């Protein structure tokens, strides 16, 4: 049964089972509807009183729930406030922030720590040897087709304001190309050292004159990776132009058969099986490795023409590759073990600790620091007294906000001279908890916490005053408190910052005890819930009233129908009398 619906639609006229259209007074000339309405107004007074009582309970229930929300808000605040890390913040200043960054928790002892970062953590990696064929001085230009298909080209050399065309054929060897470039410098009245680094597969041109190459036709500059190369001055009068990457590097769309791999098979990386086929591209192989391995990332290094396997985690992670095709270069590759970060920490009391980390992040007694570079720096840890003061000030404000709210609810009157339809939700519930005995008990309990001892200390010792004797007792009545910042600083200086936390946040501290009490009030099936919850005392009373109202509605409906029946019978009788009178009058008139 929807009890709230009954209460909101309590006017019996809208729930009546009487016919929708009633016509009265046809024969009698009486305003039958108005008469019945006035009679029903008198009959419905008990129902209206029940409705008013229902509304009062509903608003009181909402007022209690608003109080519960306010107390829960304070409870949540105290839950965070009482944490040692929040209430007693520590600051960590680093003398050389290029070496490391640091933070300190409340458990870190104040003092100066000397920290030497001896090594940083790095990732392990496995680097294959070069893929594909060896490139030598006798390799033909036409065979360097890993990224582009070489074509006959014309390259223009500009040096000493002279331009010389260099004709390069696909049938030229690398040695032929070196000779042609060297001869072009001579023709232009200059000289150059032209060489090929067969370890890194790069063309290197060095001259004491400023020079420039440009592509007239073909794609020589792209094949030899000179199109994006910059002319570099070494500061001693020499200028160098060098291939930006290995000229034998592949485009990842190349299939594995072009590396010399035939057929299909599997190999393992850290025991995980990786399948391959001669028709797979290099990109397919890389993707297959990355989709199967959780601890290693594969990539193709096009600058050096190698496959690189890198550990995801830093530190001494092992990467094993077994039974891979020799064409992938893993069997002749190089594995480099990652470093574990190492730092040496010295306290100002002379104690020394060796610390190790896989992630460059270290921890020592609440001091957290992240190494950025090798080197030595000092970290100074201090209690942030100003922050403690601000947090206690914030607590005082939050406490006063809550107790002011409770005091207002106990003393405020209902809103007068204002239509309910014009009221806000807050105005509707105003005054329904005035002088409420249960709320008074809660308020007095909250206020009593201000005068109790916690760990042998009282609020006033921390500079928190809870009374105003001598100037009236208004603040005392409201449970209002004030903070003397200078006295709190004096307390911290004398007793240490931990004493502040022990007073508030210890298991038996002020904030802990208040929080526990508020939890008992506001939890599910707690004290307030038993009064104003969905199964609370008020809700039970509302249900009883709603049932009574439902019964009254049925009674009123029957009474209204009965009145209409009686007035209808009267009208019918009068109608007959009128008809008889008319007949007699007509008969007499004829005589």
């Amino acid at each position: 049964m929807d009890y709230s619906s009954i209460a909101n639609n309590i006017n019996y006229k809208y729930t009546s089972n009487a016919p929708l259209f009633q016509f009265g007074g046809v024969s009698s000339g009486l305003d039958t509807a108005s008469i019945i309405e006035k009679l029903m107004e008198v009959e419905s007074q008990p129902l209206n009183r029940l409705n008013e009582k229902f509304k009062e309970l509903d608003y009181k229930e909402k007022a209690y729930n608003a109080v519960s929300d306010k107390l829960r808000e304070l409870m949540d605040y105290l839950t965070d406030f009482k944490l040692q890390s929040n209430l007693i913040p520590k600051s960590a200043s680093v003398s050389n922030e290029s070496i490391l960054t640091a933070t300190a928790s409340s458990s870190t002892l104040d003092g100066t720590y000397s920290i030497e970062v001896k090594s940083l953590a790095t990732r392990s990696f496995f680097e294959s040897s070069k893929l594909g064929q060896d490139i030598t001085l006798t390799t033909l230009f036409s065979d360097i087709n890993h990224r582009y298909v070489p074509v006959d080209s014309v390259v223009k050399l500009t040096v000493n304001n002279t331009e010389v065309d260099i004709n390069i054929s696909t049938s030229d060897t690398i040695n032929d190309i070196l000779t042609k470039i060297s001869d072009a410098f001579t023709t232009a009245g200059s000289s150059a050292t032209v060489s090929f680094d067969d370890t890194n597969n790069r063309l290197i041109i060095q001259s004491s004159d400023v020079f420039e190459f440009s592509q007239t036709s073909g794609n020589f500059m792209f094949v030899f990776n000179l199109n994006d190369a910059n002319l570099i001055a070494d500061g001693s009068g020499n200028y160098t132009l060098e291939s930006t990457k290995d000229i034998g590097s592949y485009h990842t769309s190349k299939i594995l058969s072009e590396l010399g791999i035939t057929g299909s098979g599997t190999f393992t990386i850290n025991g995980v099986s990786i399948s391959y086929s001669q028709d797979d591209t290099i990109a397919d192989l890389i993707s297959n490795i990355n989709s199967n391995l959780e601890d290693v990332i594969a990539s193709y290094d096009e600058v050096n023409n190698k496959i690189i396997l890198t550990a995801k985690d830093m530190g001494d992670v092992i990467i094993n590759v077994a039974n891979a095709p020799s064409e992938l270069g893993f069997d002749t590759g190089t594995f480099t073990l990652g470093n574990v970060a190492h730092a040496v920490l010295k306290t100002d009391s002379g104690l020394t600790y060796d610390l190790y980390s896989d992630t460059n992040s270290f921890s020592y007694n609440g001091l957290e620091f992240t190494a950025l570079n090798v080197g030595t720096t000092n970290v100074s840890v201090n209690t942030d007294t100003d922050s403690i003061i601000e947090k206690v000030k914030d607590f005082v404000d939050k406490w006063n906000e809550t107790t002011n709210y409770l005091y207002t609810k106990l003393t405020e009157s209902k809103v007068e001279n204002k239509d309910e339809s014009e009221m806000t939700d807050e105005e509707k519930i105003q005054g329904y908890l005035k002088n409420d005995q249960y709320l008074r008990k809660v308020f007095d309990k909250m206020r009593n916490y201000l005068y109790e001892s916690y760990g042998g200390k009282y609020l006033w010792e921390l500079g928190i005053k809870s009374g105003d004797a001598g100037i009236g007792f208004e603040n005392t009545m409201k449970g209002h408190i004030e903070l003397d910042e200078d006295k709190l600083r004096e307390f911290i200086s004398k007793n240490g910052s931990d004493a502040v936390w022990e007073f508030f946040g210890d298991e038996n501290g002020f904030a802990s005890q208040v929080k526990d009490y508020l939890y008992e009030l506001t939890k599910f099936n707690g004290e307030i819930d038993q009064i104003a919850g969905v199964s609370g005392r008020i809700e039970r009373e509302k249900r009883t009233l709603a049932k009574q109202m439902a019964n009254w509605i049925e009674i009123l409906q029957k009474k209204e129908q009965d009145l209409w029946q009686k007035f209808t019978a009267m009208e019918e009788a009068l109608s007959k009398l009128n008809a008889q009178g008319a007949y007699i009058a007509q008969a007499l008139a004829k005589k």
Side-chain angles (χ1 to χ4, degrees), residues 348-513:
D348 49 12
S349 60
L351 298 175
T352 300
Y353 300 91
D354 281 292
L355 305 176
Y356 297 90
S357 168
D358 288 335
T359 63
N360 290 321
S361 294
F362 299 84
S363 178
Y364 168 78
N365 286 353
L367 177 64
E368 309 284 339
F369 63 94
T370 300
L372 305 175
N373 286 294
V374 173
T376 302
T377 186
N378 290 329
V379 178
S380 298
V381 176
N382 296 287
T383 301
D384 192 345
T385 302
D386 289 339
S387 291
I388 297 175
I389 301 296
E390 288 302 314
K391 290 183 181 297
V392 174
K393 282 176 60 179
D394 188 50
F395 156 74
V396 168
D397 292 341
K398 192 65 179 179
W399 177 272
N400 290 337
E401 175 191 323
T402 305
T403 55
N404 284 343
Y405 179 86
L406 297 178
Y407 184 78
T408 299
K409 289 299 171 186
L410 282 167
T411 57
E412 66 185 1
S413 299
K414 295 179 182 179
V415 176
E416 303 287 349
N417 302 320
K418 192 173 185 180
D419 189 86
E420 187 173 333
S421 63
E422 299 176 351
M423 294 183 190
T424 64
D425 291 341
E426 180 63 30
E427 288 175 330
K428 289 178 181 178
I429 65 175
Q430 182 175 316
Y432 280 92
L433 294 180
K434 184 176 182 178
N435 297 323
D436 183 85
Q437 291 184 355
Y438 176 74
L439 185 58
R440 169 61 66 181
K441 185 189 77 170
V442 171
F443 178 75
D444 289 343
K445 176 71 172 177
M446 293 282 290
R447 196 171 55 178
N448 288 341
Y449 278 115
L450 302 176
Y451 307 102
E452 296 180 4
S453 169
Y454 304 93
K457 292 182 172 55
Y458 295 85
L459 272 175
W460 62 264
E461 295 184 68
L462 279 73
I464 301 176
K465 296 182 292 185
S466 58
D468 51 4
I471 58 173
F473 294 94
E474 182 179 358
N475 286 342
T476 302
M477 294 298 295
K478 292 181 179 180
H480 188 275
I481 55 178
E482 295 180 358
L483 173 64
D484 184 335
E485 294 185 27
D486 291 336
K487 193 164 185 178
L488 179 55
R489 290 182 187 276
E490 180 182 342
F491 178 87
I492 294 173
S493 176
K494 180 180 178 181
N495 300 280
S497 59
D498 284 346
V500 177
W501 174 79
E502 289 169 0
F503 180 87
F504 285 107
D506 188 71
E507 183 178 355
N508 296 313
F510 176 89
S512 295
Q513 291 199 31

Side-chain angles (χ1 to χ4, degrees), residues 120-124 313-316 337-341 358 360:
L120 296 176
T122 60
R123 288 182 171 83
S124 300
D313 295 330
M314 291 189 288
D316 53 345
L337 183 67
N339 290 330
V340 174
D358 288 335
N360 290 321

Side-chain angles (χ1 to χ4, degrees), residues 27-39:
S27 299
S28 66
L30 298 174
D31 187 355
T32 306
S34 295
I35 293 172
I36 292 176
E37 182 178 353
K38 293 296 183 182
L39 291 172

Side-chain angles (χ1 to χ4, degrees), residues 39 77 87 127 155 199 202 239 352 377 389 423-424 430 559:
L39 291 172
Y77 172 84
L87 184 55
E127 185 180 29
V155 178
T199 300
R202 285 171 170 81
Y239 301 90
T352 300
T377 186
I389 301 296
M423 294 183 190
T424 64
Q430 182 175 316
K559 286 188 176 183

Side-chain angles (χ1 to χ4, degrees), residues 5 51 73 107 125 144 178 216 243 266 289 297 319 342 400 518 524 539 560 584:
S5 176
N51 185 43
E73 184 180 307
S107 61
F125 63 92
I144 311 174
L178 300 182
T216 300
S243 301
T266 61
I289 294 173
I297 297 175
I319 302 176
H342 178 202
N400 290 337
L518 295 178
F524 176 74
E539 192 67 21
E560 184 181 23
I584 294 171

Side-chain angles (χ1 to χ4, degrees), residues 198-304:
D198 58 6
T199 300
N200 297 302
N201 291 340
R202 285 171 170 81
L203 176 63
I204 303 171
I205 306 169
Q206 192 174 57
S207 175
S208 59
D209 296 319
V210 175
F211 61 92
E212 179 184 16
F213 282 98
S214 59
Q215 188 85 49
T216 300
S217 64
N219 59 2
F220 168 80
M221 296 284 287
F222 287 87
V223 173
F224 273 76
N225 298 313
L226 295 174
N227 58 301
D228 56 351
N230 295 311
L231 188 66
I232 305 298
D234 64 4
S236 60
N238 292 316
Y239 301 90
T240 302
L241 187 70
E242 182 177 348
S243 301
T244 55
K245 58 175 72 77
D246 189 319
I247 67 172
S249 64
Y250 287 83
H251 193 282
T252 55
S253 63
K254 292 289 186 178
I255 61 176
L256 300 185
S257 62
E258 296 187 51
L259 301 181
I261 294 176
T262 58
S264 60
T266 61
F267 63 97
T268 62
I269 300 176
N270 286 355
V272 177
S273 180
I274 306 297
S275 61
Y276 66 90
S277 167
Q278 65 180 21
D279 297 324
D280 291 339
T281 64
I282 296 175
D284 291 336
L285 176 66
I286 298 299
S287 177
N288 191 23
I289 294 173
N290 290 333
S291 63
N292 283 282
L293 291 174
E294 296 182 353
D295 55 348
V296 172
I297 297 175
S299 62
Y300 175 65
D301 178 5
E302 66 176 18
V303 173
N304 297 302

